């Protein structure tokens, strides 16, 4: 049925045009179905013959002159002379209405729907035998393409409900069965679900006591029997149904909202929560959707009706679990989830006071502690999955409270909650909560949470250093740790680095004695610990055929014991596959932690020496089977010639190849690429530390590292972007420290001469053949770093145009950087 009416509507939004175009969706959104409002015409009596149906026919005689309506008029005229005739011939009139409602003529259908409402008003309970027939005929019309027909169909349905309310509320389940396809049980448009919900809301508000609970139970069972593909839409339609029952005018909730919401919660409490999350339960999703719709509609004051229902039920369930008078913890877990959800809706603007929420959240943590320590209480609980879900939901609720509460509530109550969490919850739970708050951008993260994390790191470093290292790496690498440089606190330096205490906890020194834990020193010692780099390179050769298990974050419900069991059963500490990740993570953390510059520079210098030796040795070993790498090694000063060679040997060295075993292997260059990148990261950190360390110490260590890499690594690995970038930053740092004195200390003349020689024109002529092929690389970053590295060297002089002109330095490199 197409909308052939005029799409232009009266312009009520201002502007010069009297009419403006409105789409079907805009016109449908303006339809509002509400038969509960009583207006003057509801009390009017029919003027002639005492029949509303007769007056409706008379009205449409003037408005509708179509042939189909004229035929209908001839058919029913003899039945509508009086109310008595209408009552006597009601069967014939209903049959005629059904027949003409099925016509694809919107003008006729609109008239028939209006006459249905007048007939229902005349017959009252006498139309009940025809109720199901009329509903089945009307409901398809709600899906019509003509907005006028849609509105007329919804009004007709609502009027039927209104005039038959006393009979229908005795058992509303058959009516729901008739309308469930329109609520999403079958594929429907969103506006159809909304119109159906608005039409039926009037009836549900009239349900009381057991009738209401039985109806809600029937609705839930019908939803659970729905096909999985239709479940999301059906849940949406049912959420709209309950919301329409609970809402009132002007952002207020209806007086029956508490009873309806309570009935829905009572049905939800029967669920067993067999999934891993609350969201895996379809009934919980329904209740959560209703809660969100109500809170979005209301304001802070009008939402108190909803909060009171949740508070009362939560207090009852929490008392029952604490007093060990119930074996079911599911209702408490469900209420935790709903309260956590309600806290964050509209950024907490529906919460009038946070103190009651903090108190109830504290109760959840107290109950969790009781279940962990009291064997009898924990054995009473009949659902272990619900306990695991509770651990997640109470943390989620606390995160929501911390994000939304004001500074006063945070200082008075929130701090106590954090003390309880850090003291009683597993370390993995605290770390997960900290990462969540960091991702959400909690404003008080540095001031309040960072001291706790520093204390946890120091206390648990000895037995959980792998997990803690990955946590800090996740924090720093993804930019979650944000601090303003220049501000000094007890936990952050003026450079924005985390300041760990050096004497907070004690560790075993191996001789039976104990000593203080110094986290920065522990990181440096771990960084320079010897590694079998050959095993690391071999691990990088074969391309995995199956997915490897990767670090998946910090699970809220996992305990330290569980993590230890997994690490023990799956691998002894960390295998060679993760050595690269560990070293890279250490470099990342050390760049954001306050470390003694001399200790850091010595450690980095040692690591660089290890990596240079390993890369050089491995490159030589791999060159034995690669003509290409042999050419590179023997012509390190003539890189252009080194790149010449047999295509097959170059492919096996640089690309992919498949030997006789049929597996796919990386070439030698790619096997060493991660090690060379790690070397570049170490040199980059050393260059960064040079700007804040004593110039003499920096110049000596950094100069040695730079020359070592330039002579032994760069010739064969000049296309590694991270290595080229680190070489540029190291050279830039060398120029800085040789021209700057800090604290009255300056670099020696010998070091200055060495740096000048390393960046001389002669060295530039030696370096250009190694790097010239980078200038045509498809990687913009590699081209840029190469040009910036070349720009730090002494530039050749351009040939003058005549003998009298002065020679000027060549600016081709600067022009390339500008481009």
């Amino acid at each position: 049925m197409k909308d052939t009416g005029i799409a232009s509507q009266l312009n009520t939004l201002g502007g010069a045009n009297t009419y403006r175009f409105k789409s079907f969706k805009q016109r449908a959104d303006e339809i509002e179905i509400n038969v509960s409002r009583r207006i003057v015409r509801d009390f009017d009596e029919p003027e002639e013959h005492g029949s509303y149906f007769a007056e409706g026919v008379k009205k449409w005689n003037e408005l509708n002159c179509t042939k189909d309506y004229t035929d209908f008029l001839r058919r029913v005229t003899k039945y509508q002379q009086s109310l008595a005739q209408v009552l006597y011939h009601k069967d014939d009139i209903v049959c005629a209405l059904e027949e003409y409602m099925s016509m694809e003529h919107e003008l006729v259908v609109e008239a028939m729907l209006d006459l249905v409402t007048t007939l229902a008003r005349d017959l009252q309970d006498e139309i009940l035998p025809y109720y199901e027939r009329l509903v089945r005929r009307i409901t398809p019309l709600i899906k019509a393409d003509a907005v006028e027909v849609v509105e007329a169909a919804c009004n007709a349905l609502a009027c039927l409900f209104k005039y038959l309310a006393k009979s229908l509320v005795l058992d509303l389940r058959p009516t729901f069965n008739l309308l469930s396809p329109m609520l999403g049980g079958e594929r429907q448009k969103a506006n159809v679900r909304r119109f159906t919900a608005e039409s039926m809301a009037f009836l549900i508000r009239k349900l009381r006591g057991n009738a209401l609970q039985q109806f809600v139970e029937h609705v839930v069972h019908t939803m659970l029997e729905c096909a999985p593909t239709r479940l999301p839409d059906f849940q949406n339609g049912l959420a709209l149904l309950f919301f329409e029952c609970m809402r009132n005018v002007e952002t207020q909730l209806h007086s029956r909202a508490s009873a309806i919401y309570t009935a829905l919660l009572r049905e939800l409490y029967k669920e067993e929560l067999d999934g891993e999350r609350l969201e895996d339960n379809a009934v919980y999703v329904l209740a959560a959707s209703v809660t969100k719709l109500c809170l979005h509609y209301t304001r802070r004051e009008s939402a108190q009706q909803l909060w009171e229902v949740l508070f009362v039920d939560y207090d009852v369930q929490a008392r029952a679990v604490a007093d060990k008078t119930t074996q079911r913890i599911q209702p408490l877990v469900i209420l935790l989830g709903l309260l956590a959800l309600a806290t964050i809706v509209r950024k907490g603007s529906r919460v009038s006071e946070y103190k009651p929420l903090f108190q109830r959240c504290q109760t959840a943590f107290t109950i969790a502690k009781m279940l962990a320590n009291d064997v009898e209480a924990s054995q009473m609980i009949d659902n272990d999955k619900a306990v695991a879900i509770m651990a997640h939901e109470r943390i989620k609720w606390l995160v929501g409270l911390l994000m939304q509460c004001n500074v006063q509530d945070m200082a008075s109550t929130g701090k106590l909650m954090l003390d309880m969490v850090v003291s009683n919850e597993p370390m993995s739970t605290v770390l997960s909560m900290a990462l969540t708050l960091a991702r959400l951008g909690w404003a008080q993260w540095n001031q309040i949470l960072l001291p706790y994390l520093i204390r946890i790191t120091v206390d648990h470093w000895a037995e959980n250093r792998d997990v803690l290292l990955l946590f800090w790496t996740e924090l720093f690498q993804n930019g979650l740790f944000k601090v303003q440089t220049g501000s000094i606190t007890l936990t952050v330096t003026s450079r924005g680095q985390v300041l760990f205490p050096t004497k907070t906890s004690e560790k075993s020194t191996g001789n039976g004695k104990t000593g203080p834990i110094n986290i920065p020193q522990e990181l440096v010692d771990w960084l320079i610990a010897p590694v079998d780099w050959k095993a690391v390179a071999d691990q990088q050769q074969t391309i995995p055929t199956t997915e490897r298990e990767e670090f998946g974050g910090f699970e809220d419900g996992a305990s330290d014991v569980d993590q230890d069991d997994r690490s023990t059963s799956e691998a002894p500490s960390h295998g060679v596959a993760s050595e690269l990740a560990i070293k890279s993570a250490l470099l990342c953390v050390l760049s954001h932690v306050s470390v003694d510059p001399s200790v850091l520079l010595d450690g980095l210098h040692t690591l660089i020496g290890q990596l240079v030796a390993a890369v050089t040795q491995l490159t030589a070993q791999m060159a034995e089977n690669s003509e290409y790498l042999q050419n590179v090694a023997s012509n390190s000063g003539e890189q252009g010639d080194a790149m010449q060679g047999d295509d097959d040997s170059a492919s096996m060295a640089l690309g992919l190849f498949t030997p006789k075993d049929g597996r796919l292997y990386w070439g030698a260059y790619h096997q060493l690429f991660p090690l060379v990148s790690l070397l570049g990261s170490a040199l980059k950190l050393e260059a960064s530390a040079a700007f804040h360390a004593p110039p003499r110490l920096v110049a000596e260590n950094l100069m040695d590292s730079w020359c070592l890499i330039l002579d032994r690594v760069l010739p064969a690995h000049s296309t590694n972007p991270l290595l080229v970038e680190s070489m540029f930053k190291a050279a830039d740092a060398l120029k800085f420290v040789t021209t700057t004195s800090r604290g009255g200390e300056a670099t020696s003349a010998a070091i200055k001469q060495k740096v000048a020689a390393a960046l001389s024109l002669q060295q530039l002529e030696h370096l250009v053949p190694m790097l010239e092929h980078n200038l045509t690389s498809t990687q913009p970053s590699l081209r840029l770093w190469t040009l910036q590295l070349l720009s730090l060297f002494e530039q050749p002089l351009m040939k003058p145009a005549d003998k009298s002109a002065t020679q000027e330095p060549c600016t081709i490199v600067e022009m390339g950087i500008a481009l």
Side-chain angles (χ1 to χ4, degrees):
M1 187 180 298
K2 297 182 179 180
D3 185 1
T4 57
I6 300 175
S8 297
Q9 302 290 316
L10 186 63
N11 185 6
T12 59
L13 301 178
N17 296 332
T18 305
Y19 294 93
R20 64 186 294 269
F21 175 81
K22 288 186 179 180
S23 65
F24 176 85
K25 183 180 183 303
Q26 290 174 317
R27 297 162 68 194
D29 289 342
E30 294 176 355
I31 298 176
E32 183 177 1
I33 312 300
N34 194 337
V35 297
S36 61
R37 299 177 187 172
R38 307 191 72 181
I39 56 180
V40 175
R41 69 167 178 265
D42 290 338
F43 302 96
D44 291 343
E45 294 294 334
E47 297 178 357
E48 298 180 12
H49 312 298
S51 171
Y52 296 104
F53 178 75
E55 289 196 356
V57 171
K58 182 179 178 181
K59 180 188 73 173
W60 283 104
N61 288 344
E62 301 173 358
L63 298 178
N64 197 326
C65 298
T66 62
K67 178 180 181 300
D68 292 330
Y69 180 77
T70 304
D71 294 341
F72 169 79
L73 183 62
R74 293 196 193 98
R75 185 167 171 179
V76 300
T77 299
K78 54 186 176 182
Y79 303 142
Q80 49 94 31
Q81 300 299 323
S82 65
L83 178 60
Q85 275 192 322
V86 172
L87 290 171
Y88 186 77
H89 296 286
K90 59 181 180 292
D91 193 25
D92 297 325
I93 295 175
V94 170
C95 290
L97 289 172
E98 286 183 299
E99 178 182 344
Y100 283 87
M101 271 193 294
S102 62
M103 292 184 174
E104 294 187 1
H105 196 307
E106 57 209 45
L107 296 178
V108 176
V109 171
E110 184 181 358
M112 296 302 106
L113 290 169
D114 182 68
L115 292 177
V116 167
T117 63
T118 59
L119 181 64
R121 194 173 182 186
D122 274 342
L123 300 183
Q124 298 289 328
D125 290 342
E126 294 290 333
I127 204 174
L128 190 59
Y130 313 101
Y131 166 72
E132 183 175 349
R133 290 164 52 187
L134 290 173
V135 170
R136 292 187 183 279
R137 185 66 67 181
I138 293 172
T139 49
L141 299 176
I142 301 178
K143 298 184 288 185
D145 294 331
V147 175
E148 293 79 9
V149 174
V150 173
E151 184 172 13
C154 293
N155 283 322
L157 200 60
C159 288
L160 280 177
F161 294 157
K162 178 179 181 180
Y163 298 127
L164 295 176
K166 291 183 180 179
S167 301
L168 295 179
V169 295
L170 298 177
D171 188 1
L172 200 54
R173 290 172 292 186
T175 299
F176 174 79
N177 293 338
L178 288 173
L179 296 179
S180 59
M182 310 301 294
L183 289 168
E186 297 176 358
R187 184 178 179 84
Q188 307 292 349
K189 295 179 182 178
N191 64 298
V192 173
R193 296 196 295 269
R194 179 173 70 88
F195 295 151
T196 307
E198 290 179 356
S199 301
M200 194 175 180
F202 171 77
L203 286 176
I204 300 177
R205 294 195 195 106
K206 291 184 172 293
L207 296 176
R208 299 291 187 275
N210 290 335
L212 175 60
Q213 193 64 51
Q214 290 173 1
F215 173 76
V216 174
E217 179 181 1
H218 178 71
V219 170
V220 170
H221 287 174
T222 304
M223 180 189 69
L224 295 177
E225 293 173 357
C226 176
T229 56
R230 300 296 328 141
L231 185 58
D233 285 344
F234 200 19
Q235 285 175 330
N236 186 15
L238 295 179
L240 285 171
L241 177 64
F242 285 110
F243 166 65
E244 290 296 336
C245 301
M246 296 171 63
R247 81 177 180 112
N248 206 346
V249 297
E250 297 180 353
T251 70
Q252 299 293 318
L253 290 178
H254 197 272
S255 58
R256 295 290 300 160
S258 297
I260 296 170
Y261 192 58
T262 301
L264 180 59
L265 293 180
R266 294 290 179 271
E267 197 59 35
L268 179 56
Y269 295 156
K270 300 176 184 178
E271 297 298 306
E272 290 299 329
L273 303 181
D274 295 328
E276 299 295 330
R277 307 177 306 153
L278 275 177
E279 290 75 12
D280 294 335
N281 186 277
V283 187
Y284 173 80
V285 173
L286 172 61
S289 299
V290 174
T291 305
K292 284 190 289 187
L293 287 171
C294 291
L295 291 175
H296 278 291
Y297 177 72
T298 57
R299 295 291 181 267
R300 179 181 287 114
E301 295 76 14
S302 53
Q304 290 307 305
Q305 192 174 346
L306 208 64
W307 285 108
E308 289 175 3
V309 173
L310 293 173
F311 283 167
V312 170
D313 279 14
Y314 181 86
D315 293 341
V316 171
Q317 297 297 335
R319 193 178 305 111
V321 175
D323 295 343
K324 305 176 186 178
T325 59
T326 181
Q327 295 181 348
R328 288 181 54 81
I329 199 174
Q330 292 88 330
L332 180 62
V333 176
I334 288 167
L335 289 165
L336 269 174
L338 292 176
L339 285 168
L341 173 68
T343 301
I344 62 175
V345 170
R346 292 282 184 174
K347 297 183 179 180
S349 61
R350 301 302 184 260
V351 179
S352 59
E353 189 177 1
Y354 279 94
K355 186 175 181 180
L357 293 175
F358 271 114
Q359 291 174 346
R360 287 170 172 84
C361 187
Q362 185 175 359
T363 301
F365 282 95
T366 304
I367 291 175
K369 183 179 179 181
M370 180 199 71
L371 294 177
N373 299 329
D374 191 336
V375 178
E376 180 184 355
S378 61
Q379 290 178 348
M380 285 183 59
I381 303 303
D382 60 354
N383 192 323
D384 294 336
K385 287 187 176 181
V387 177
I389 295 174
M390 181 181 178
H392 175 74
E393 293 301 326
R394 65 176 182 265
I395 292 295
K396 186 170 73 172
W397 191 13
L398 178 58
V399 168
L401 289 172
L402 294 176
M403 286 295 301
Q404 307 301 339
C405 71
N406 52 40
V407 178
Q408 292 79 9
D409 291 325
M410 182 65 232
S412 61
T413 313
K415 191 75 165 49
L416 298 175
M417 288 294 305
L418 284 176
D419 290 336
M420 179 180 294
V421 171
V422 174
S423 301
N424 301 323
E425 294 295 322
M427 184 191 70
S428 58
T429 300
V430 181
L431 297 183
S432 177
M433 183 184 73
L435 281 178
T436 302
L437 287 169
R439 291 190 183 101
L440 294 174
W442 185 33
Q444 308 298 323
W445 199 95
N446 291 342
Q447 291 80 3
I448 296 177
L449 197 55
L450 183 57
Y452 287 106
L453 296 174
I454 293 175
R455 190 178 76 190
I456 290 173
T457 302
V458 175
D459 292 343
H460 296 272
W461 180 260
E463 63 275 9
N464 291 292
R465 68 174 190 171
D466 288 15
V467 173
L468 289 167
L469 175 66
L470 292 174
F471 165 76
W472 287 104
T473 304
E474 175 83 5
L475 203 64
F476 295 140
Q477 200 167 38
N478 294 328
L480 302 179
F481 180 72
K482 299 175 183 178
V483 63
Q484 293 181 352
T485 56
S487 60
I488 303 177
T489 66
L490 295 177
T491 56
V492 180
T493 65
S494 59
R495 292 169 50 197
Q497 294 181 317
V498 178
L499 184 62
F500 282 95
T502 57
K503 295 184 179 180
T504 302
S505 182
E506 293 187 341
K507 67 172 182 176
S508 174
T509 59
N511 55 3
K513 299 181 180 180
T514 58
I517 285 184
N518 185 331
I519 296 298
Q521 184 65 55
E522 291 281 331
L523 292 170
V524 175
D525 292 343
W526 195 1
L527 181 69
I528 63 177
V531 173
D532 186 357
W533 296 112
K534 177 66 168 62
V536 173
D538 292 342
Q539 188 73 25
Q540 303 301 315
Q541 183 181 20
T542 306
I543 299 178
T545 56
T546 58
E547 294 185 1
R548 292 184 177 271
E549 183 176 353
E550 299 179 352
F551 176 70
F554 308 98
E555 299 178 359
D556 289 345
S559 64
D560 297 339
V561 177
D562 295 337
Q563 291 184 350
D564 292 341
D565 291 341
R566 287 197 299 270
S567 62
T568 303
S569 61
E570 294 175 3
S573 70
H574 50 79
V576 292
S578 63
E579 285 291 354
L580 283 171
I582 292 294
K583 296 294 184 182
S584 179
L586 286 167
L587 291 174
C588 175
V589 174
L590 283 170
S591 64
H592 293 84
V593 171
S594 178
V595 189
D596 183 1
S598 60
V599 174
L600 178 61
L601 289 173
D602 288 343
L604 290 171
H605 190 63
T606 302
L607 176 65
I608 290 172
Q610 294 175 357
L611 288 171
V612 169
V615 171
T616 303
Q617 181 182 3
L618 292 171
T619 302
Q621 291 176 358
M622 293 176 180
E624 296 177 0
N625 300 320
S626 173
E627 179 183 351
Y628 174 81
L629 291 180
Q630 290 175 9
N631 196 20
V632 170
S634 61
N635 299 279
S636 60
E638 301 175 0
Q639 190 71 8
D641 296 334
M643 290 299 166
Q644 308 284 335
D646 181 67
D647 291 340
D648 293 337
S649 62
S651 176
M652 290 187 65
L654 301 178
L656 297 171
F657 67 96
T658 306
K660 294 181 180 180
D661 61 2
R663 299 185 66 183
L664 194 61
Y665 288 84
W666 285 118
Y669 179 82
H670 287 284
Q671 294 177 45
L672 296 179
F673 188 89
L675 270 67
V676 177
S677 297
L678 183 65
L679 175 61
S681 298
L683 182 61
K684 184 178 176 181
L685 179 57
E686 188 176 14
S688 175
F691 293 92
H692 308 283
R696 186 183 300 273
L697 176 64
V698 169
E700 293 176 356
N701 285 351
L702 191 57
M703 189 67 214
D704 290 344
S705 300
W706 194 83
C707 292
L708 197 63
I709 296 173
L710 180 66
D711 294 337
R712 301 175 60 183
V713 179
L714 190 62
H717 301 278
S718 57
T719 57
N720 187 300
L722 190 54
L723 183 64
V724 177
E725 177 190 359
S726 65
M727 291 294 287
F728 158 70
K729 294 194 173 181
D732 187 44
L734 283 171
K735 296 186 72 172
F736 173 79
V737 297
T738 54
T739 57
T740 306
S741 61
R742 294 191 302 276
E745 181 182 354
T747 55
S748 63
I751 292 295
K752 291 182 179 179
Q753 292 177 358
K754 193 174 181 180
V755 172
L759 299 176
S760 64
L761 179 60
Q762 182 180 0
Q763 284 294 328
L764 178 64
E765 294 174 351
H766 175 73
L767 186 65
V768 167
M770 297 184 197
L771 301 178
E772 61 182 357
H773 54 279
N774 289 352
L775 301 178
T776 59
S777 171
T778 58
Q779 303 180 53
S781 60
L782 181 59
R783 298 198 302 268
L784 177 61
W785 294 126
T786 301
L787 288 170
Q788 289 184 326
L789 175 58
L790 296 176
S791 68
L792 295 179
F793 285 78
E794 181 184 356
Q795 300 299 308
L797 299 177
M798 293 188 296
K799 185 177 181 180
D802 52 63
K803 294 183 179 180
S804 61
T806 58
Q807 289 183 312
E808 297 180 355
C810 179
T811 59
I812 187 66
V813 176
E814 284 74 8
M815 293 171 60
I817 294 175
L819 291 175

